[in-house]
Amino acid sequence: MTQGSYVADKSSSGGEFNRDTSYITTRITSRTRGAEGGAAGGHYPVEAGRYRLVVARACPWANRAIIVRRLLGLEDALSIGFCGPTHDARSWTFDLDPDGLDPVLRIPRLQDAYFARDPNYPKGITVPAVVDVPTGAVVTNDFAQMTLDFSTEWTEFHRDGAPQLYPEPLRDEIDTVARRIYTEVNNGVYRCGFAGSQEAYDAAYDRLFTALDWLSERLATQRYLVGDTITEADVRLFTTLARFDPVYHGHFKCNRSKLAEMPVLWAYARDLFQTPGFGDTIDFVQIKQHYYIVHADINPTRIVPKGPELANWLTPHGRESLGGRPFGDGTPPGPTRESERVPPGHGAG
């Protein structure tokens, strides 16, 4: 099932969910690092205006890229295209755009960009994906490396006051924390939701909440996951937490506790949500539409629930008492561009 996209993830013979983690690993790097290449593992040069980031607001993995691009101020250098919240067995589609075509790439389906890269592309059509506009071909869909490269390779185009999301002195710790977040939380909710046996589900459930308890303990005495500023690790956790009560608690059976019933994580999530660049990227309507409509094997009626109440995301969180500097020596991003704003009524306001 999905990795925020159509991808061939399957349950093993024991019913455990296994994610397909083989991505197009081509990177976009600074001009001093590597020559342009087209093969997986090669390099393309960082160039303003050359690439288009294709995302879906519903997808937690794509949401990371939306947040990092906004925090770093890459809007002028890297355009963005939004797929709709649902997809069929073939591909994400640009059904939000006039005539169902991406206005820059002029394609109706993201798979067209994958096939421009490889006409026999055998894997899932995933978001986020960075597309080379001149050729119309996908450069990379390696979501984990993508945001790290935004921080480290695109520095020439960062806004004044851009935060250090992947500071070199903290990278080992960020990587360690992010690795556990990915395996146990980001992917852990999917492991619960797509378990193919009671035994696999029970094991996945225990792993998920063990990790959430560990995160609660870590965050009880510090405002952010690593150091005293927002880092890549916080971005990676936030996108799962934002979807926890609307989707994962019920739809994926992650129901020991709602996020709103886990005091430390709930305060931490609200703190980030109320920070420019985080909550203003969250479209709760599209998030619910994606999971409840696309996952017909879990929700065969495809009925999208009306709840939960969302105004509580804007209530005081009290995390300022722990200190910390959200953007370090930098500054918050400015207002979201009008063309990229979450539609009215789709957020928590």
Side-chain angles (χ1 to χ4, degrees):
M1 202 23 247
T2 81
Q3 188 240 236
S5 47
Y6 180 77
V7 65
D9 295 320
K10 300 178 180 179
S11 294
S12 68
S13 58
E16 182 178 348
F17 169 75
N18 294 314
R19 182 177 299 284
D20 184 344
T21 57
S22 177
Y23 302 106
I24 301 173
T25 57
T26 306
R27 294 175 60 193
I28 301 171
T29 59
S30 62
R31 291 177 177 81
T32 58
R33 293 190 54 192
E36 180 174 348
H43 293 262
Y44 280 70
V46 170
E47 290 183 17
R50 175 170 175 175
Y51 307 101
R52 187 160 178 81
L53 173 64
V54 178
V55 297
R57 292 192 189 277
C59 168
W61 321 91
N63 198 173
R64 298 180 183 183
I66 299 171
I67 292 170
V68 171
R69 173 180 174 272
R70 174 149 156 65
L71 293 179
L72 297 178
L74 291 173
E75 291 94 336
D76 285 335
L78 179 64
S79 71
I80 194 167
F82 294 95
C83 297
T86 62
H87 57 72
D88 59 24
R90 288 191 289 162
S91 176
W92 291 93
T93 55
F94 294 100
D95 48 289
L96 301 176
D97 292 308
D99 300 320
L101 297 175
D102 179 86
V104 172
L105 301 174
R106 306 303 298 171
I107 56 175
R109 293 175 170 274
L110 181 55
Q111 73 173 10
D112 296 334
Y114 278 81
F115 292 161
R117 167 72 182 253
D118 177 359
N120 299 308
Y121 185 72
K123 312 287 285 185
I125 306 302
T126 64
V127 290
V130 178
V131 179
D132 180 40
V133 175
T135 63
V138 167
V139 176
T140 182
N141 64 347
D142 187 351
F143 66 90
Q145 186 63 48
M146 186 185 299
T147 50
L148 299 182
D149 284 344
F150 288 170
S151 283
T152 60
E153 301 292 337
W154 288 73
T155 54
E156 178 184 356
F157 300 107
H158 288 184
R159 65 178 174 88
D160 291 339
Q164 295 291 318
L165 299 178
Y166 196 51
E168 195 160 357
L170 298 178
R171 287 180 188 176
D172 287 346
E173 186 176 2
I174 291 170
D175 290 346
T176 298
V177 172
R179 190 176 304 113
R180 186 168 183 184
I181 289 171
Y182 171 74
T183 59
E184 305 304 297
V185 180
N186 301 146
N187 196 44
V189 293
Y190 284 83
R191 194 181 292 113
C192 290
F194 291 110
S197 70
Q198 187 68 50
E199 182 179 11
Y201 165 74
D202 289 348
Y205 176 102
D206 290 343
R207 284 180 62 178
L208 170 64
F209 283 99
T210 295
L212 291 176
D213 290 343
W214 167 71
L215 288 164
S216 290
E217 183 177 351
R218 184 181 184 92
L219 290 165
T221 56
Q222 62 189 64
R223 191 170 178 185
Y224 304 111
L225 283 168
V226 181
D228 67 349
T229 65
I230 292 168
T231 68
E232 175 82 18
D234 297 292
V235 175
R236 294 187 179 199
L237 178 58
F238 171 76
T239 59
T240 294
L241 296 183
R243 289 157 176 77
F244 201 89
D245 287 1
V247 176
Y248 302 143
H249 178 271
H251 185 60
F252 277 178
K253 306 179 186 70
C254 303
N255 60 355
R256 188 193 75 178
S257 310
K258 295 179 180 177
L259 175 64
E261 296 167 344
M262 295 181 270
V264 172
L265 288 179
W266 176 225
Y268 165 80
R270 297 199 320 278
D271 186 4
L272 290 177
F273 189 92
Q274 294 168 33
T275 299
F278 284 84
D280 51 30
T281 72
I282 299 297
D283 187 319
F284 287 112
V285 171
Q286 289 196 23
I287 287 169
K288 291 195 296 183
Q289 287 174 338
H290 172 72
Y291 285 92
Y292 287 100
I293 294 173
V294 171
H295 300 166
D297 48 345
I298 297 177
N299 184 41
T301 65
R302 299 188 175 181
I303 293 171
V304 179
K306 292 183 68 174
E309 173 60 44
L310 299 170
N312 54 1
W313 277 98
L314 302 178
T315 58
H317 52 76
R319 297 281 292 178
E320 304 94 335
S321 64
L322 295 173
R325 302 175 301 147
F327 298 100
D329 295 329
T331 57
T336 307
R337 296 185 174 189
E338 184 174 358
S339 62
E340 298 180 11
R341 290 176 188 166
V342 172
H346 285 217

